[in-house]
Amino acid sequence: MSGHAHYREAHPLVFVITHWINLICMIMLAFSGFYIHFPFFDGFMGVARGMHFVAMFVIIINLTFRIVAAFFVKTATQLGSREVDTDIKNWLPQEENKHQFFETVKYYLFFRKEGVISAKYGSLQKIAYLATIPLTYIMAYTGFCLYGPTADWGFFAGGTAMVGGPMSMRIIHYFMMWVFIVFTMIHAYLANIYNLNPSKIIFAWKETDH
Amino acid sequence: MAQEAHGAFYDLLAVRGVSRRDFLKYCSYVAATLGLAETAAPQIAAALEKGTKLKPALWLNGGSCTGCTESMAQVDSPDVATIVLELLSLNYFETIMAAAGEQAEKNIEDTIADGGYLLIYEGAVMMGEDGNTLLVNGEKGTDILQHAAEGADAILAVGACAVDGGWVYAHPNPAGAVGVQSFLDGVKVKTPVVNLPCCPTSPEWVVAMVVQWLLVADDDPALFLEKTALLAKEYHDNYRDADVSLLYPEYIVGSTIHDNCPRRGHFENGEFVTEFGSEEEAKGYCLYKVGCKGPQTYTQCPVTRWNRSVSWCVNSGAPCIGCGGLNWVDNNAPFFKRLSSMQMGGSLGNVQPGSVAAVVGGVAAAALVAHGLGMKAAGRIGDGPPMEEMKAYDRKHGAKKGGDK
């Protein structure tokens, strides 16, 4: 699964940049979010809130841009390949992913020895990467329900009333941050478990051969 | 006639030892409570002067601790608020009326028969055991409320309990407590209800509503609703399993306590009280870390303040416990913690969200470490596992070489 090359076609420069923006924003959001949740040192609340609000707008714009770009930018269709096609086709399930979901689960639970045929990404990986889209937007929604300037807009106030008030919304927002934290832990672990070549291409845009 | 009324009103003030100057000061204060400019004070004064005609009113208690009555009665000297409230002829007021027994009950009936009265309701509506959790004079509290509500011009639901059941409504709510609006929705009584939150409610807000009634509404319920800036808030009543829309005066619930808090500067500067009795507390730092619920509580307590505008909870050093919110006990307990606990039920009891998150994060981290060791043991680290030639599905279904790839 990992004994393959990592070429720039897999992650064109524009997506290396969006990935960097995501990472930086996520770190800023989680850190400032933890601080707003419970200020663990003094003198930072104003900055933490400012940081949280800036990073939230940046990450939403970045995600939206990333989705639109998927329809225009071409990326590699297979692991370790230079053959390219429109990115969205490689992001959504491909032919190779068919019938492979349970095989992938079995592989990761050590019930089979051989690696599983997959396309650009494996079945589980694609589910996770696609789920981050609604998750990020829902996270943003819960955030806007708490954000002073927008909290009383009907679209957000309705949601707050539905979950039982601002305190419940705050708790949902807090738990969703943990969903992202757990996602990031698993993502970083699985991406780099075989070797660090995936990090070299996504962060430094440095190609590696097998 | 107007002159006469004018004279009568100032006589009333004089008897109470209140100067005209005190009175006008109070009027500008009421103007602020109503969100009006100070220039509205003379109009308020004029309305009050005219208002010597008594407005009949009933003050009914449901499932209440009488705290709101106490709040109204906290007068250490004769003051203007008392006089304004005396514009209401409270024909029935359990805690402080002189009448008792048959006579008192008859006062309710007479007032309802005459019509044109205000109903002020304090406490939760007790629906449990088919309404038998609250009996007054052998009659169900729910029946008394329904009967009185049907003929009233308007209803003031005073205090958190009357708004949505308050702390009586808190889990597990054995008495079946609900708010006035929710109950009236259920029995299809359409009389308008204006809700005044908090535990107890602020006497100044009740005064403001009486002023509003006399000032702009001219004793007309429709005009009262039209001219008063009202804000609707939706919530789901779990006991009745129904969606309820509550009307509040906008100036009372339009912004959070946090937004108007005198300690807000300390919040922005990141200056917090971490424990009571500390140096930070003596400095009057922000109470956010010791559980202040001001950021999600929508009332203007910091503006009106309490006890004749002397002080209020946060001013006196206590974090806001969110009594102006809906279902406020369940949503805000424990009061000295940043987030409320989640009621998991069973042996888990009430759990802090942070504890749940720590368990989830810890389990995920441990699982990844264990998995990593497994991957190493399976020899997959480095180049990864040997790849399959063809999908398991294709092998099973005897596909041609390459399968459905």
Side-chain angles (χ1 to χ4, degrees):
Chain A
M1 288 196 99
S2 195
H4 59 81
H6 291 273
Y7 295 142
R8 290 181 172 180
E9 281 76 4
H11 304 293
L13 188 58
V14 57
F15 293 154
V16 169
I17 293 169
T18 55
H19 185 264
W20 264 112
I21 294 175
N22 271 338
L23 177 67
I24 293 166
C25 285
M26 284 287 182
I27 291 170
M28 283 169 70
L29 285 166
F31 176 73
S32 58
F34 264 120
Y35 186 89
I36 295 165
H37 164 67
F38 195 83
F40 39 89
F41 58 93
D42 274 3
F44 195 64
M45 184 55 90
V47 181
R49 280 161 52 85
M51 187 190 277
H52 207 73
F53 301 150
V54 169
M56 111 189 146
F57 281 117
V58 172
I59 204 167
I60 295 166
I61 294 167
N62 190 50
L63 172 64
T64 310
F65 170 80
R66 173 67 181 81
I67 295 167
V68 173
F71 290 87
F72 299 101
V73 177
K74 286 187 188 309
T75 53
T77 58
Q78 304 293 322
L79 287 171
S81 163
R82 290 204 192 266
E83 188 194 328
V84 293
D85 201 352
T86 312
D87 179 60
I88 189 69
K89 289 184 194 162
N90 310 324
W91 194 354
L92 292 170
Q94 290 162 277
E95 268 302 305
E96 289 84 348
N97 298 121
K98 230 174 167 180
H99 306 302
Q100 294 290 62
F101 176 80
F102 290 108
E103 293 303 321
T104 314
V105 173
K106 271 160 72 180
Y107 167 76
Y108 281 115
L109 292 179
F110 304 107
F111 287 117
R112 54 172 285 164
K113 277 212 166 81
E114 290 184 315
V116 183
I117 289 178
S118 53
K120 189 183 178 194
Y121 305 126
S123 312
L124 285 174
Q125 209 175 354
K126 286 197 171 177
I127 290 170
Y129 292 178
L130 287 170
T132 52
I133 302 173
L135 272 175
T136 309
Y137 284 124
I138 293 169
M139 187 62 167
Y141 177 83
T142 62
F144 281 121
C145 290
L146 301 168
Y147 182 49
T150 54
D152 54 356
W153 293 9
F155 178 60
F156 299 117
T160 306
M162 207 172 71
V163 300
M167 178 55 87
S168 308
M169 192 57 92
R170 213 164 276 267
I171 293 172
I172 292 170
H173 193 70
Y174 175 74
F175 278 141
M176 283 197 63
M177 175 191 62
W178 278 95
V179 173
F180 282 96
I181 290 173
V182 170
F183 167 85
T184 309
M185 284 161 61
I186 298 173
H187 173 58
Y189 164 78
L190 286 180
N192 296 299
I193 182 65
Y194 303 111
N195 51 53
L196 294 177
N197 293 347
S199 285
K200 288 178 189 153
I201 189 74
I202 197 68
F203 291 126
W205 213 34
K206 186 171 176 297
E207 293 195 345
T208 46
D209 278 310
H210 167 50
Chain B
M1 182 66 199
Q3 194 55 44
E4 243 173 76
H6 186 103
F9 186 76
Y10 281 99
D11 285 349
L12 203 57
L13 288 176
V15 167
R16 293 293 195 143
V18 176
S19 71
R20 186 178 158 78
R21 185 182 156 77
D22 289 340
F23 174 65
L24 288 175
K25 258 165 65 184
Y26 186 79
C27 289
S28 52
Y29 171 53
V30 169
T33 304
L34 284 170
L36 302 172
E38 208 176 328
T39 47
Q43 285 166 272
I44 292 173
L48 290 178
E49 287 161 15
K50 264 198 303 187
T52 39
K53 193 183 82 183
L54 292 178
K55 174 74 179 169
L58 293 176
W59 184 297
L60 297 184
N61 284 57
S64 82
C65 67
T66 334
C68 294
T69 301
E70 280 288 326
S71 178
M72 302 299 296
Q74 286 299 329
V75 185
D76 57 355
S77 59
D79 72 349
V80 193
T82 330
I83 294 166
V84 173
L85 292 171
E86 280 174 5
L87 296 174
L88 296 175
S89 165
L90 283 162
N91 296 345
Y92 185 92
F93 197 159
E94 268 166 15
T95 317
I96 58 175
M97 65 189 170
E102 293 286 315
Q103 180 58 45
E105 298 308 316
K106 188 170 174 297
N107 285 349
I108 297 187
E109 281 312 315
D110 289 350
T111 310
I112 293 174
D114 291 346
Y117 59 94
L118 272 180
L119 174 61
I120 303 176
Y121 195 87
E122 171 187 1
V125 184
M126 309 285 259
M127 292 184 73
E129 309 291 334
D130 195 27
N132 284 302
T133 41
L134 177 76
L135 295 175
V136 181
N137 190 30
E139 207 180 337
K140 287 178 189 170
T142 47
D143 291 345
I144 300 174
L145 170 59
Q146 187 181 349
H147 183 42
E150 275 164 353
D153 277 352
I155 301 168
L156 287 182
V158 297
C161 294
V163 171
D164 72 337
W167 62 261
V168 195
Y169 171 85
H171 183 78
N173 192 9
V178 300
V180 172
Q181 183 70 68
S182 177
F183 169 74
L184 293 182
D185 283 356
V187 295
K188 304 210 164 16
V189 173
K190 300 269 184 248
T191 314
V193 181
V194 174
N195 295 280
L196 300 177
C198 284
C199 181
T201 196
S202 168
E204 268 65 31
W205 299 342
V206 181
V207 170
M209 286 301 103
V210 173
V211 167
Q212 186 76 0
W213 184 272
L214 297 165
L215 174 69
V216 301
D218 203 21
D219 213 13
D220 177 352
L223 212 55
F224 175 71
L225 292 177
E226 188 193 316
K227 295 270 178 99
T228 312
L230 293 170
L231 194 75
K233 291 200 179 193
E234 320 289 329
Y235 81 105
H236 187 81
D237 186 324
N238 292 324
Y239 182 77
R240 283 190 51 245
D241 195 20
D243 290 318
V244 183
S245 175
L246 299 174
L247 282 183
Y248 290 94
E250 190 182 346
Y251 298 114
I252 291 174
V253 300
S255 58
T256 63
I257 284 181
H258 193 53
D259 286 343
N260 292 316
C261 185
R263 299 191 187 211
R264 179 63 186 258
H266 291 302
F267 172 82
E268 295 293 343
N269 291 346
E271 296 166 338
F272 301 99
V273 176
T274 307
E275 59 179 328
F276 291 108
S278 62
E279 194 189 330
E280 287 77 18
E281 193 197 4
K283 285 178 178 165
Y285 281 178
C286 174
L287 299 163
Y288 188 73
K289 279 167 81 172
V290 285
C292 185
K293 304 300 190 297
Q296 51 272 346
T297 306
Y298 289 77
T299 67
Q300 43 113 280
C301 297
V303 179
T304 319
R305 289 171 291 184
W306 294 71
N307 296 323
R308 306 292 166 253
S309 197
V310 169
S311 183
W312 63 292
C313 310
V314 169
N315 233 24
S316 63
C320 168
I321 60 174
C323 72
L326 290 163
N327 190 13
W328 71 272
V329 174
D330 286 342
N331 274 334
N332 295 314
F335 297 143
F336 292 163
K337 284 266 178 5
R338 255 288 290 139
L339 294 184
S340 69
S341 290
M342 299 176 299
Q343 296 162 348
M344 311 291 267
S347 56
L348 281 173
N350 295 342
V351 180
Q352 275 280 296
S355 316
V356 178
V359 169
V360 170
V363 166
L368 289 184
V369 170
H371 197 265
L373 294 174
M375 292 291 260
K376 193 157 195 300
R380 292 176 183 174
I381 309 285
D383 278 348
M387 290 300 292
E388 61 185 356
E389 287 294 317
M390 146 194 274
K391 290 180 185 177
Y393 178 89
D394 294 333
R395 275 199 296 273
K396 207 179 292 171
H397 292 78
K400 283 175 264 138
K401 193 167 183 288
D404 69 358
K405 169 178 149 66

